[in-house]
Amino acid sequence: MASRTSQGEESSYRESRRDRLLSTCAELIARKGFASTTVRDIGEAAGLLSGSLYYYFDSKESMLEQIIVKLQAYLWQRYDEVASSDLSPRAKLEGVLRVSLDAIDQYNDEVRVYQNESKLLEENERFQERAARSKDFERMVTGILRDGIATGEFRADLRIEVAFRFIRDSVWTIVHWYRPGGELGIDEVAKDYLSMLFGGIASPNG
Amino acid sequence: MASRTSQGEESSYRESRRDRLLSTCAELIARKGFASTTVRDIGEAAGLLSGSLYYYFDSKESMLEQIIVKLQAYLWQRYDEVASSDLSPRAKLEGVLRVSLDAIDQYNDEVRVYQNESKLLEENERFQERAARSKDFERMVTGILRDGIATGEFRADLRIEVAFRFIRDSVWTIVHWYRPGGELGIDEVAKDYLSMLFGGIASPNG
DNA sequence: GTCTATAGCGTGATAGAC
DNA sequence: GTCTATCACGCTATAGAC
């Protein structure tokens, strides 16, 4: 790409302009979906003409790719910390879920894009490396579940692959209704969800 | 529409052709998304040319609408039965979830379309009546939750609107990985999910 | 009922001036 | 870096023959 140099100030100025454009992309793609968002929409929202976007990006697909790259970098820096810690399985699982919830809070648009366009990422060859991270997430969480069953912290009578999907989907779908800065904060959501995930919704004295 | 008559055999022949076309639409739209599915795709999959589809449907949007109408008719016939029964709140909630899971099993493509295009349904004036059913579902389930807290079957320390979203999303997202006719049947999924929803994933002796 | 043919428009992307 | 201008293509939908 013609716009990428590797010189200090000039490069970082350009990077930050790029990043601001990416945030605009994320907001629009989160709201309207990738297929229904046009490069003209993005240009208009960013205050330039669609053609000018191609100074920063090779294609509409590469805008999507950069959004996901940025999000995955954030997520995996933190997932790796939790996974390599010596916490108990239950505490590790709580940690993983907290990281995911923090992403929903701080990178709301990007997470929505990641969720909404996951099919596209899986099917398009270009995004194979991005889609592979979903398998990494599954490996990490099912590993924690197995360990927790071994220690007796988790129930042994559940299919691990079903429990994994239950956990993954209940947490990530929060992004579809949670609004950063709204009345209900992410800490309150985390408290309720962790409580329901671990203890269920039925009364203990039922 | 020119194709709608109200005469016995001729009409029902046309209806069934229409229904078969709708199934093809649902399959494609479920797989590729509404925006990325072209009427040419649909025509090709159904074995006719795109223009010929307009003998049966006014527009691409009306194809989507008919898919949703058909699904909602199935769902609400059964939801109403459960809601008006005199089962306990917990049994009612189980019943509602069973209906949803049966739809995921029997109307898999249609449910995926409903889930994937929910944004479009909410935002497009044309689909207001369809989108209103989501509010009905919320009213039904939160009512059951309130009753169950009153009887002591459900935990009283949870925010009802958060618990509702937890339940709604964990159940409906099953459609994104469940495959009808696969190794894991809907009864097994139902058993695991009801068990996790009501009792959580933590060991009771934890 | 399905076809041929195409209107009319919006799309992603590019070339080159400034 | 952003603009003007535009290309080449794909899209939904329609008109009218058969």
Side-chain angles (χ1 to χ4, degrees), chain B residues 38-40 54 59-60:
Chain B
T38 69
V39 292
R40 289 193 242 268
Y54 290 83
S59 65
K60 188 180 152 188

Side-chain angles (χ1 to χ4, degrees), chain A residues 39-188:
Chain A
V39 292
R40 287 175 175 81
D41 290 336
I42 297 167
E44 190 180 8
L48 39 65
L49 287 183
S50 62
S52 306
L53 289 169
Y54 289 84
Y55 175 77
Y56 297 96
F57 305 101
D58 290 333
S59 65
K60 188 181 154 189
E61 275 189 355
S62 95
M63 300 178 204
L64 174 59
E65 191 172 31
Q66 294 307 309
I67 291 168
I68 305 299
V69 164
K70 215 169 128 186
L71 173 63
Q72 287 184 333
Y74 170 87
L75 284 172
W76 282 94
Q77 186 191 321
R78 293 172 159 249
Y79 284 153
D80 286 340
E81 271 177 41
V82 173
S84 65
S85 72
D86 54 2
L87 294 166
S88 77
R90 177 164 170 160
K92 269 191 191 176
L93 185 55
E94 281 191 30
V96 167
L97 301 182
R98 283 297 323 203
V99 171
S100 306
L101 288 164
D102 285 346
I104 287 172
D105 191 37
Q106 292 173 46
Y107 292 81
N108 192 270
D109 291 329
E110 288 80 359
V111 174
R112 277 153 76 202
V113 170
Y114 196 14
Q115 297 300 305
N116 292 336
E117 312 303 336
S118 60
K119 269 261 162 60
L120 180 66
L121 301 182
E122 277 166 35
E123 284 165 13
N124 191 320
E125 277 229 30
R126 173 184 188 128
F127 300 114
Q128 285 310 301
E129 205 190 319
R130 300 300 127 208
R133 293 295 202 167
S134 300
K135 278 281 164 203
D136 294 338
F137 184 79
E138 177 165 0
R139 257 188 297 274
M140 177 177 66
V141 172
T142 53
I144 294 172
L145 287 175
R146 249 181 289 274
D147 293 346
I149 288 170
T151 64
E153 278 182 311
F154 299 142
R155 291 170 56 183
D157 63 332
L158 297 171
R159 274 173 275 262
I160 284 186
E161 75 275 16
V162 175
F164 162 68
R165 285 161 181 162
F166 175 67
I167 295 165
R168 175 195 62 188
D169 293 342
S170 27
V171 171
W172 283 118
T173 53
I174 293 173
V175 79
H176 291 125
W177 56 263
Y178 176 78
R179 287 298 154 254
E183 277 185 35
L184 195 65
I186 203 69
D187 290 338
E188 295 164 297

